[in-house]
Amino acid sequence: MQLGSIEAGGTKFVCAVGDGDLKIEQQVQFPTTTPVETFAKTIEFFKQFPEITAISISSFGPIEIRKSVQKYGYITDTPKKNWSNVDFLGVMKAALNVPIYWTTDVNGSAFGEYQHAKNNGEYLNSLVYYTIGTGVGAGVVLNGEFLGDLGHPEMGHVRLKRHPDDLKFAGICPFHGDCLEGLVSGPTFEARLGRKGETVAENDPVWDILAYYIAQAALQVTLMIRPGKIVFGGGVTSETLLQRVRAQFSSLMNDYLAVGDLDQYIVMPEIANNGSATVGNFALAKSLA
C-alpha cells in the first residue's frame, strides 16, 4: 500500500509518500508561491507514484470542511496573498484521481500525534494539538474524530485575561488584537521587543508572559474537553517554555481538577523532525484506502 501526504503550509509545502505502516518512503518540500506554481509541483511529485491508493491534505486556512457547502475543499478568506477562494481539493482530485482526505494543518498534526501515541501503547481517547508559530491554531481529536461541525476550530483566537506586566501591549491580531494569536505568536516578539524571538534569551521576562497566556489556553481546553493530552508544537514552542506553562497551568488550575503528571499532559510533539502532520496524513489517507 502506498499513501500520500500533502502538508500545505503558508510558507512551504511538504509532500510525501509512505507505506501502510505510516513510514515515509520519499519526501520533497518547496516554497508556497502562487497556487498555480505550487499545485503544479505537488502534482508533478505524485505523478511519479501511480500506485498510490489515497492521499490526505492538511492545509493552512481557513478552509471549508463542510461537504454540503459548494466551496468544500477550498481555502477561503486567508491572509495569504493570492490564496483566497482557491479550490485546492478540486484541483488535486482532477489531477490525481484518487480518494483524498481534506482537513486543516493542525488537524493533521493532531491526528499524527494521536496515532503515534496509540501505536506506542498509550491509551488515549482524545488529544489537542496547538501550533504556535507565525500564527496560532489547534486541532482536536475525540475518539478518532475531529472536533468541528459548522467549521474547524479557531482556538488561536480565544480571548484571555491579560498579564499585569503586559497591559500596554495591544496585540497583533488584525481581527481581535489581544487574542491568543495576537499575544503569543512569533511576530509578537518584534512587536513587543523590536527583535526576533530566536534572539530573546531564555531568562527574558517575556517568556513568563507568553507562558501565562498559553497556560490559560491549556486551562480552557482542559475544562471544556478534558483531553488525554495537550501537545504544543510550532517554532515558538520549546521544552523550556513548556516548563513555565506547566507551572502557570498548575497555579491557574489551583487543584480544581486532576490531570495527572503535567510532564506527560502538556508536552512537545513526540514525532521527530516536524513529522506529525505527515504521519497524520498517512493515517487519514489509509482510512480511505
Side-chain angles (χ1 to χ4, degrees):
M1 176 184 289
Q2 271 195 329
L3 305 166
S5 166
I6 303 173
E7 182 185 357
T11 302
K12 66 181 178 182
F13 269 45
V14 180
C15 298
V17 170
D19 61 19
D21 294 324
L22 316 184
K23 305 296 184 185
I24 295 173
E25 296 177 336
Q26 205 159 329
Q27 182 172 284
V28 67
Q29 67 179 52
F30 40 82
T32 306
T33 55
T34 65
V36 170
E37 184 177 36
T38 310
F39 289 165
K41 289 181 178 179
T42 302
I43 293 164
E44 181 183 19
F45 173 76
F46 285 108
K47 286 288 190 182
Q48 302 174 78
F49 307 98
E51 301 303 315
I52 282 182
T53 312
I55 294 172
S56 178
I57 303 171
S58 57
S59 174
F60 72 95
I63 67 173
E64 182 55 73
I65 64 167
R66 294 172 294 174
K67 293 183 179 180
S68 61
V69 174
Q70 185 177 1
K71 288 192 173 181
Y72 170 68
Y74 277 60
I75 295 176
T76 57
D77 295 320
T78 178
K80 176 72 174 173
K81 187 178 179 181
N82 299 321
W83 282 83
S84 288
N85 294 307
V86 169
D87 185 7
F88 192 159
L89 181 60
V91 170
M92 292 299 126
K93 279 189 170 182
L96 300 174
N97 195 32
V98 295
I100 301 178
Y101 199 101
W102 170 248
T103 193
T104 66
D105 48 1
V106 282
N107 273 353
S109 294
F111 204 79
E113 290 294 319
Y114 174 80
Q115 191 67 46
H116 180 80
K118 289 187 70 175
N119 289 348
N120 284 275
E122 189 174 352
Y123 180 76
L124 281 181
N125 279 329
S126 56
L127 178 146
V128 177
Y129 184 103
Y130 283 89
T131 186
I132 305 176
T134 304
V136 178
V140 182
V141 182
L142 292 171
N143 297 317
E145 302 289 338
F146 293 122
L147 183 68
D149 189 355
L150 296 180
H152 52 80
E154 286 285 358
M155 293 161 62
H157 294 273
V158 296
R159 308 310 291 265
L160 306 163
K161 182 178 180 180
R162 297 300 301 272
H163 191 287
D165 296 333
D166 195 44
L167 298 178
K168 293 182 180 179
F169 181 58
I172 64 168
C173 175
F175 296 97
H176 312 117
D178 61 349
C179 62
L180 178 63
E181 179 172 294
L183 293 172
V184 307
S185 61
T188 62
F189 290 98
E190 286 192 80
R192 278 194 183 91
L193 307 174
R195 61 187 192 274
K196 292 187 179 296
E198 54 263 31
T199 70
V200 179
E202 289 186 347
N203 62 353
D204 192 292
V206 74
W207 292 109
D208 289 317
I209 291 171
L210 264 62
Y212 179 67
Y213 296 136
I214 296 167
Q216 287 186 62
L219 181 73
Q220 289 178 7
V221 81
T222 296
L223 294 171
M224 288 187 289
I225 298 175
R226 301 299 300 276
K229 179 182 287 188
I230 306 175
V231 182
F232 285 97
V236 173
T237 308
S238 67
E239 183 57 38
T240 303
L241 174 60
L242 289 193
Q243 288 173 6
R244 291 181 167 90
V245 171
R246 293 181 193 112
Q248 294 276 14
F249 177 90
S250 181
S251 176
L252 291 168
M253 183 64 82
N254 196 29
D255 294 325
Y256 179 63
L257 293 177
V259 296
D261 184 353
L262 285 181
D263 288 338
Q264 302 298 316
Y265 181 65
I266 296 174
V267 299
M268 295 277 289
E270 293 186 4
I271 298 172
N273 302 316
N274 297 314
S276 302
T278 298
V279 172
N281 276 335
F282 287 157
L284 293 168
K286 188 175 181 179
S287 72
L288 300 178

